Amino acid sequence: RTGTITVPTTATATVTRMRISMKYNAAPTACETFSYGEVEDYQVTLGAATCGNPASLSVSGITSSGATLNWGAVAGATSYSIQYKINGGPTWTTTTSTTNSKALTGLAAATTYNWQVRATCPSGNSAYVAGANFTTSAAPCTDSYEANETSATAKTISPNTNVSAKICTATDIDWFSFTSTSVAPKVKITLTTLPADYDVYLYASNGTTLLGSGTNGGTTSESFNYNTPTAAATYRIKVVGYN
């Protein structure tokens, strides 16, 4: 016959006695005296319980300042110890988690990090297991004129004033609004210091009637005049990436 014995969690790593009792035509109790059967004692050496190593390590939700570290749950683990540092740096930052993931915050933008994790069980700790390096994304572009994505949300600017704005994403569109005067009704629009191919358009106040445009290729500056205005009027300017 064969059977499976579960070692109690209170057992310690030492030499102990295991008694197997067999009673005729019935199952014996732990300390019973009976007439027919057999009792055998064995010397059993119990080894220290092991804490499994974390596996299936991955990183998700990477931003310019954070990331979520993930790994497979370890049987019997009560918590996990996580360490991370800038790639090649000398000092680890240590944190803990009671689940099989950890959200990191306060990371540097556009920076590569090393990380590792170990499990903590009642019997002790596993070894540290290293995850693949990850790199945070670049810091998001900020522009004090945002949000100005539509003609209706165009930001008001003053004539004869330089405006320094940014295209923050591949789909960003910048709208501006200004009003000419009866003394200076004619308009000249310039768009300079271009890091990529941007175009500029001048519309009437309704934001749909096109009055002029600058659509040079590459990073060439844009410039055009609108010389047939009313005495004083409000206009819309749209700046957009060529692609």
Side-chain angles (χ1 to χ4, degrees):
R1 292 179 177 272
T2 60
T4 299
I5 298 175
T6 301
V7 178
T9 57
T10 55
T12 58
T14 185
V15 177
T16 189
R17 183 178 67 175
M18 178 179 69
R19 170 166 289 179
I20 298 177
S21 177
M22 179 184 68
K23 176 183 177 182
Y24 174 73
N25 203 34
T29 59
C31 299
E32 181 182 353
T33 299
F34 47 84
S35 299
Y36 300 99
E38 184 177 351
V39 175
E40 299 177 356
D41 286 347
Y42 295 89
Q43 181 175 286
V44 178
T45 302
L46 299 180
T50 59
C51 192
N53 292 333
S56 302
L57 279 63
S58 65
V59 183
S60 61
I62 299 174
T63 67
S64 61
S65 62
T68 298
L69 311 180
N70 311 285
W71 56 91
V74 175
T78 56
S79 65
Y80 301 89
S81 177
I82 305 98
Q83 293 186 326
Y84 63 96
K85 64 181 179 68
I86 294 176
N87 185 35
T91 305
W92 291 98
T93 297
T94 302
T95 184
T96 60
S97 176
T98 56
T99 65
N100 59 320
S101 68
K102 182 66 179 183
L104 303 182
T105 59
L107 304 181
T111 302
T112 300
Y113 283 86
N114 315 131
W115 69 286
Q116 57 187 14
V117 59
R118 74 180 182 186
T120 296
C121 303
S123 59
N125 298 321
S126 74
Y128 271 110
V129 178
N133 295 349
F134 68 92
T135 302
T136 54
S137 57
C141 178
T142 57
D143 183 0
S144 60
Y145 292 97
E146 295 288 348
N148 58 340
E149 307 298 308
T150 67
S151 174
T153 59
K155 293 303 177 80
T156 301
I157 59 176
S158 299
N160 303 316
T161 302
N162 290 331
V163 171
S164 180
K166 299 176 180 179
I167 296 294
C168 294
T169 67
T171 59
D172 189 15
I173 298 174
D174 282 358
W175 283 88
F176 303 93
S177 173
F178 71 95
T179 301
S180 66
T181 67
S182 58
V183 177
K186 295 184 179 181
V187 173
K188 181 178 181 179
I189 304 294
T190 60
L191 183 66
T192 63
T193 318
L194 304 181
D197 188 355
Y198 296 127
D199 295 332
V200 59
Y201 300 88
L202 179 67
Y203 293 89
S205 59
N206 58 19
T208 57
T209 303
L210 181 64
L211 304 177
S213 64
T215 57
N216 290 325
T219 57
T220 302
S221 296
E222 309 289 359
S223 182
F224 64 91
N225 299 328
Y226 179 62
N227 292 329
T228 57
T230 56
T234 297
Y235 300 93
R236 299 285 190 269
I237 297 174
K238 179 174 74 172
V239 179
V240 63
Y242 169 71
N243 289 322

